[in-house]
Amino acid sequence: MEALKQKILSEGKVLSESVLKVDSFLNHQIDPELMQEIGREFADRYADAGVTKILTLESSGIAPAVMTGLTMGVPVIFARKRKSLTLTNHLYSAEVYSFTKREANEISISQDFITSEDTVLIMDDFLANGQAVIGMINILQQADAQLAGIGIVIEKGFQEGGRKIRNQGYRVETLANIAELTDGKVTFMKEEKVV
Amino acid sequence: MEALKQKILSEGKVLSESVLKVDSFLNHQIDPELMQEIGREFADRYADAGVTKILTLESSGIAPAVMTGLTMGVPVIFARKRKSLTLTNHLYSAEVYSFTKREANEISISQDFITSEDTVLIMDDFLANGQAVIGMINILQQADAQLAGIGIVIEKGFQEGGRKIRNQGYRVETLANIAELTDGKVTFMKEEKVV
């Protein structure tokens, strides 16, 4: 998605060969119009997949997921990273290790909102080692729900997550797939279509 | 806002005289169309306030804030509740105690995204004792930014937060103001205009 790639090139900060900071439009400050474009793009790519719900993870997945849900006309569920006092029992849970934050979190959703009748689009802001997506797939398996596919805003194509998940036969749609972060520069994967 | 009140009456769960659970459309599962209506309502109420940025708090504030930002054409910043490894220095921070989660969190935003040039609309999903909003006001004071006002989806009018903040002279707009949660029923404040 060209508008997203241009935004990454103009505002993304390469902090190391594995860390790209996009705090000015996605992870801390949010650009609502860009999120709307992202939502329309995912809705278009998954238009024929029979999606009934979108599952994402707090916090940075929420904005693109809600915009996608608005276009598709389906509800969005965000998995929580810790249990809160008002959401304690009747949960599907999975353990997710975050390499960015160097900690393990339990992610959970209420059993009320995803059932075996649902076909779910999993979404997240970043795909790197794939831990969060694998945790969400695990949750869908517990709910016996169908997985339509995975929608990722920015993939770090040089890390193993995308390959691992695609090798399991799942569909992964990525709007900006990064080949490398070297010399402070972002290089995108060549195989992506250029508009 | 009538559509929101109807949604609260039909789907909200009164867990006690102080706890209303709205996990089916706001705090866990999100109804994107309702969020869009909420965004349009806040944009309308604050249309002449010169808002340049919206400040909210992860996670449940993000969806209504992003929809408001989309309608107003301004960026949204969500304060984080803990420092992450990619967002460590150059912060404005405030301590916020959550009565729901019974823990104190430090909320922080990067100094990059709010300056003395900004006029900020603070938004949150709930207003009860007001701790989160007071923390965000504190952050805006550190940034020497203007406060346009506060936009709250659901106010617990029987708790002290709203009164405390209005008494300090700040404008608070609430879309559903709850008078009481007794006998498992939600009663809204009478002074709100009924459509």
Side-chain angles (χ1 to χ4, degrees):
Chain A
M1 187 182 147
E2 194 54 27
L4 173 64
K5 289 182 186 173
Q6 289 306 321
K7 194 82 166 179
I8 292 169
L9 291 175
S10 63
E11 297 190 15
K13 288 179 184 163
V14 178
L15 298 191
S16 73
E17 296 204 343
S18 64
V19 179
L20 171 69
K21 192 173 169 178
V22 288
D23 276 0
S24 71
F25 60 92
L26 180 59
N27 292 136
H28 182 34
Q29 181 169 256
I30 298 170
D31 178 337
E33 283 183 38
L34 182 64
M35 293 305 119
Q36 187 179 50
E37 287 181 62
I38 285 171
R40 287 173 175 165
E41 179 73 23
F42 281 125
D44 190 49
R45 294 193 188 193
Y46 281 104
D48 299 324
V51 173
T52 61
K53 299 243 169 157
I54 294 169
L55 174 62
T56 189
L57 188 58
E58 61 180 355
S59 294
S60 298
I62 294 174
V66 169
M67 288 298 181
T68 307
L70 182 68
T71 311
M72 299 187 100
V74 300
V76 172
I77 298 105
F78 63 91
R80 291 193 173 273
K81 282 175 184 160
R82 289 182 301 173
K83 295 173 187 173
S84 83
L85 291 183
T86 55
L87 180 79
T88 45
N89 41 33
H90 199 59
L91 299 176
Y92 298 121
S93 298
E95 184 102 343
V96 169
Y97 183 78
S98 164
F99 288 91
T100 317
K101 297 189 177 177
R102 289 178 201 162
E103 64 183 19
N105 278 300
E106 192 180 40
I107 65 166
S108 314
I109 67 159
S110 165
Q111 295 183 11
D112 291 338
F113 302 123
I114 295 186
T115 73
S116 60
E117 305 289 301
D118 283 311
T119 299
V120 179
L121 172 61
I122 287 175
M123 286 184 60
D124 210 357
D125 57 333
F126 268 94
L127 174 62
N129 51 71
Q131 296 301 299
V133 168
I134 289 165
M136 287 190 273
I137 292 173
N138 183 333
I139 279 176
L140 293 187
Q141 288 167 339
Q142 293 173 48
D144 204 20
Q146 305 299 309
L147 174 60
I150 295 122
I152 298 294
V153 181
I154 303 175
E155 179 173 348
K156 290 178 181 170
F158 55 89
Q159 288 186 238
E160 62 182 1
R163 195 175 59 247
K164 213 159 55 181
I165 293 162
R166 288 182 182 94
N167 283 348
Q168 289 177 38
Y170 299 117
R171 178 178 173 192
V172 181
E173 293 284 342
T174 294
L175 303 192
N177 197 345
I178 295 170
E180 54 178 349
L181 299 170
T182 36
D183 303 326
K185 279 176 57 183
V186 179
T187 310
F188 295 106
M189 289 282 187
K190 283 175 194 157
E191 62 257 54
E192 281 207 275
K193 63 181 174 200
V194 178
V195 178
Chain B
M1 186 183 147
E2 193 53 30
L4 173 65
K5 289 182 185 173
Q6 289 305 323
K7 193 83 167 180
I8 291 168
L9 292 175
S10 62
E11 298 190 15
K13 288 179 183 162
V14 178
L15 298 190
S16 74
E17 296 205 344
S18 64
V19 179
L20 171 69
K21 192 171 167 178
V22 288
D23 275 0
S24 72
F25 61 91
L26 180 59
N27 291 137
H28 182 33
Q29 181 169 255
I30 299 170
D31 179 336
E33 282 183 39
L34 181 64
M35 293 305 120
Q36 188 180 49
E37 287 180 63
I38 286 170
R40 287 173 176 162
E41 179 72 23
F42 281 124
D44 190 47
R45 294 194 188 193
Y46 281 103
D48 298 324
V51 173
T52 62
K53 299 244 168 155
I54 294 170
L55 174 62
T56 189
L57 189 57
E58 62 180 355
S59 294
S60 298
I62 295 175
V66 169
M67 287 300 181
T68 307
L70 182 69
T71 310
M72 299 188 99
V74 300
V76 173
I77 298 106
F78 64 91
R80 292 193 172 272
K81 283 175 183 159
R82 290 183 299 173
K83 294 173 186 174
S84 83
L85 291 182
T86 55
L87 180 78
T88 44
N89 41 34
H90 200 57
L91 299 175
Y92 297 122
S93 298
E95 185 102 342
V96 170
Y97 183 78
S98 165
F99 289 91
T100 317
K101 298 190 177 176
R102 289 178 200 161
E103 63 182 19
N105 278 299
E106 191 179 43
I107 65 167
S108 313
I109 68 159
S110 165
Q111 295 183 10
D112 290 339
F113 302 125
I114 295 186
T115 73
S116 59
E117 305 290 302
D118 283 311
T119 299
V120 180
L121 172 60
I122 287 177
M123 287 185 59
D124 211 357
D125 57 333
F126 269 94
L127 174 63
N129 51 70
Q131 296 302 300
V133 168
I134 291 166
M136 287 190 274
I137 292 173
N138 182 332
I139 279 176
L140 293 187
Q141 287 168 339
Q142 293 174 48
D144 204 18
Q146 304 299 309
L147 174 59
I150 295 124
I152 299 294
V153 181
I154 303 175
E155 179 172 349
K156 291 177 181 169
F158 55 89
Q159 289 187 238
E160 62 181 1
R163 195 176 58 248
K164 212 161 52 181
I165 293 163
R166 288 182 182 94
N167 282 349
Q168 288 178 39
Y170 299 117
R171 178 179 174 190
V172 181
E173 293 285 342
T174 294
L175 303 191
N177 198 346
I178 295 171
E180 54 178 349
L181 299 170
T182 37
D183 304 326
K185 279 176 55 182
V186 179
T187 309
F188 294 106
M189 289 280 187
K190 283 176 193 157
E191 62 257 55
E192 279 207 275
K193 63 180 174 200
V194 178
V195 178

